[in-house]
Amino acid sequence: MCGIIGAASSRNVGKLLIQGLHKMEYRGYDSAGIALHQKDHVTRLRALGKVQALEDLMIEHKPKSKLGIAHTRWATHGKPSEANAHPHASSEQIYIVHNGIIENYKELTKKLKDSGYQFASQTDSELIAHLIHHHYKNNDLLCAMQLAIKELEGAYAIAAVDLNHKDQLVIARYKSPLLIGVGIEENFAASDPLALAQLTSDFVFLEDGDTAVVKKDSYEIFDAKSKSVNREVTHLDIETSSVTKGEFSHFMEKEIFEQPQSASNTLESRLGSNDVLDNIFGLGSSEIFSETKRIQFVACGTSLHAGKVGRFWFEEIAGIPCYVDFASEYRYRNPLVEDGTLFVTISQSGETADTLAALRYAKDKDYLSTLSICNVPTSSLARESDHVLFTNAGPEIGVASTKAFTTQLVSLLLLSMSIAKSQDKNPIMREAITKELKDLPAAINASLDTKTAIQKITPAIAEKNNALFLGRGIFFPIVQEGALKLKEISYIHAEAYPAGELKHGPLALVDDSIPIVALSPENDLTEKLISNLEEVKARGGTLYVFGEGQDQFTIDSGSYIGMPKCNKFIAPIIYTIPLQILAYYVACHRGTDLDQPRNLAKSVTVESVSYTHLTLPTKA
């Protein structure tokens, strides 16, 4: 969610820190700030709004420093304001930046106020600075950090500097991502390796409970028992092109048009001549699949929609039942675990707090095994799951997920085939799907050609404040995803319904003022869908229908957009593409900040609810 970057270097770090914040803007934020160690003081600059506002302050004040920390904030406690922006300070001595939520902040804040500390913000993060200062003895920032975090409940990634040390920063991690970037005569800390692109390709990922001292020429990591430990250095090649827009106007547009290649990347080395290969989810996964009797999906947002699509495939291809749960709700209903249930999490970032918490909860249950579908190999979700398949979509910068969703669908299709193969089910069907998947990148390219037709209908939809999306069967979760995209980036209220449910309430919404978007592929439900759309037509509804042929249906008001013909199993992936394009151009027409839509973050690394009290944060 928020973004942390820190640096200890032999060169001035201010520009490096600002560049790192720019690279993390995709995560979502409302303010930004920086603290730079000077000879006899720490310069702190904070700004509400974009990182550019903070950069303008840097240009104005021109601070020079070889040690600093910086942050982009997304409000969870306290409204967006300069006073609530990070870094937070205690007694002009300790300066910290923090990602996460401190759940016992009220208790700790009262304790610190009783000890004489004065608070300048409404955040839960400021108490961390005061708590470290409270424990600060003998110029030992590391010891103060280690004592302070023992009192914290919740999730945190923390970076701190203090006035007495111009050459070191101290960091700590628990249930919120944090890593060390290893350079030459400089070392870094960050919540996202993208923040350090072009600075280093060598990273050390901290584990829960770790603390570390980072200096320009060294770093030392300590585990939860304060014992010095070694963590593996991971080499990652982060291409600059992945974090720049290139010829496109927005990251979202770029990522929509990257989908033929990202789908190809997901499929690479996972298909044989006529079937899925064995153990593509990790060594021993095929043996686990042979024992799988049912699937429990847990995910959030777009990833949850992928799970809903996957359920249709698993039941048809592998012949096993599936359950799909919101990760934020799963743990709170005391779920029953049936024998032979495989627990599957889906997440682009692998750091989604609710999904991670669900996985950790599931570890104590009698699940057959845990498996994740994830885009980030170094993520907590990937490291903590028994088995994993990486989507290999490449960095996704736009907040509204596009290529991550379609590659998740490809991965779920591969998983359903893998389970069916391990149980010797439907070999002819698996061979047909293999052929379809090999043709998938070309089919996605063909679906991108709907761009011109969609641009023509954009103005009519962009002027509306509501929209209705309709689909049937496996296409219902696809229209749910389409409605979500429109909501996320254009701020148009959009709802999705199974078309067969029109008479059970949604038909009351239909008039000439609400655009109705429908998916009409050629399948067993086409005639039923057409009957549903005739009901909409009869009530003066404006229809925008995506389908493979208009022979059986005419539109009085609206438009029919022709889709390329595609086979049954890849059709949900292909029909996702025009809904992404539609949302994108409607948002462009309305002039919204669609790469960084208001109130949203790319990676939700704090829970939707508190572990203990189930209290809602200021923003979801």
Side-chain angles (χ1 to χ4, degrees), residues 511-525:
D511 59 23
D512 59 5
S513 68
I514 183 169
I516 295 154
V517 179
L519 299 186
S520 179
E522 293 290 337
N523 61 26
D524 294 341
L525 292 173

Side-chain angles (χ1 to χ4, degrees), residues 313-326:
W313 286 329
F314 280 85
E315 293 179 350
E316 181 168 359
I317 299 167
I320 57 175
C322 299
Y323 313 107
V324 185
D325 270 280
F326 291 96

Side-chain angles (χ1 to χ4, degrees), residues 132 141-150 158-160 170-172 211:
I132 293 173
L141 181 60
L142 173 65
C143 182
M145 175 73 82
Q146 290 170 337
L147 290 171
I149 63 176
K150 288 180 180 178
I158 305 166
V170 172
I171 60 178
T211 54

Side-chain angles (χ1 to χ4, degrees), residues 391-409:
T391 57
N392 297 331
E396 188 179 64
I397 308 301
V399 167
S401 181
T402 52
K403 64 179 181 177
F405 177 67
T406 49
T407 54
Q408 285 171 353
L409 294 181

Side-chain angles (χ1 to χ4, degrees), residues 98-103 149-150 152-158 171-178 206-211 224 351 353 356 360 380 384 605-607 611:
H98 164 237
N99 289 353
I101 289 180
I102 304 305
E103 298 187 357
I149 63 176
K150 288 180 180 178
L152 301 179
E153 297 175 8
Y156 55 76
I158 305 166
I171 60 178
R173 174 227 158 110
Y174 185 70
K175 294 185 178 180
S176 191
L178 193 62
L206 299 189
E207 297 184 5
D208 279 349
D210 281 356
T211 54
E351 301 293 352
L356 264 173
R360 289 163 180 164
S380 300
E384 295 181 28
T605 56
V606 296
E607 282 194 86
Y611 282 102

Side-chain angles (χ1 to χ4, degrees), residues 72-270:
T72 50
R73 175 182 187 255
W74 192 78
T76 55
H77 293 77
K79 65 182 181 180
S81 69
E82 183 178 328
N84 287 333
H86 297 221
H88 291 292
S90 181
S91 304
E92 297 183 351
Q93 171 73 42
I94 305 294
Y95 294 80
I96 69 98
V97 290
H98 164 237
N99 289 353
I101 289 180
I102 304 305
E103 298 187 357
N104 59 336
Y105 80 98
K106 290 182 179 178
E107 170 191 333
L108 292 176
T109 298
K110 181 180 185 304
K111 170 186 170 181
L112 290 164
K113 285 182 176 179
D114 290 345
S115 297
Y117 287 95
Q118 295 183 346
F119 283 70
S121 76
Q122 293 77 48
T123 71
D124 58 333
S125 300
E126 185 183 354
L127 73 88
I128 298 172
H130 295 314
L131 193 60
I132 293 173
H133 184 270
H134 176 72
H135 288 291
Y136 189 78
K137 304 288 190 299
N138 302 318
N139 289 336
D140 194 336
L141 181 60
L142 173 65
C143 182
M145 175 73 82
Q146 290 170 337
L147 290 171
I149 63 176
K150 288 180 180 178
E151 299 189 50
L152 301 179
E153 297 175 8
Y156 55 76
I158 305 166
V161 295
D162 76 290
L163 189 60
N164 293 335
H165 294 89
K166 64 179 181 180
D167 64 341
Q168 73 170 30
L169 59 99
V170 172
I171 60 178
R173 174 227 158 110
Y174 185 70
K175 294 185 178 180
S176 191
L178 193 62
L179 56 89
I180 295 171
V182 183
I184 299 173
E185 293 189 8
E186 59 188 0
N187 288 307
F188 308 93
S191 51
D192 189 330
L194 282 178
L196 304 180
Q198 296 180 290
L199 294 174
T200 182
S201 297
D202 293 323
F203 302 94
V204 180
F205 292 86
L206 299 189
E207 297 184 5
D208 279 349
D210 281 356
T211 54
V213 178
V214 179
K215 300 181 180 182
K216 69 176 183 179
D217 51 5
S218 67
Y219 63 88
E220 187 172 9
I221 301 171
F222 303 84
D223 64 15
K225 296 180 180 179
S226 301
K227 178 182 177 182
S228 181
V229 293
N230 292 318
R231 301 282 186 228
E232 181 182 358
V233 177
T234 300
H235 185 81
L236 297 176
D237 292 318
I238 305 174
E239 297 181 10
T240 304
S241 61
S242 298
V243 292
T244 57
K245 288 178 282 194
E247 63 185 24
F248 296 95
S249 300
H250 301 90
F251 281 111
M252 183 179 178
E253 182 187 22
K254 174 176 180 267
E255 288 154 7
I256 287 172
F257 283 87
E258 285 176 341
Q259 287 176 107
Q261 184 59 53
S262 60
S264 180
N265 293 344
T266 305
L267 293 168
E268 185 178 356
S269 301
R270 287 162 177 167

Side-chain angles (χ1 to χ4, degrees), residues 347-352 374-376 379-381 602-605:
S347 170
Q348 189 282 137
S349 68
E351 301 293 352
T352 305
C374 181
N375 191 35
V376 183
S379 65
S380 300
L381 196 72
K602 180 63 180 174
S603 177
V604 184
T605 56

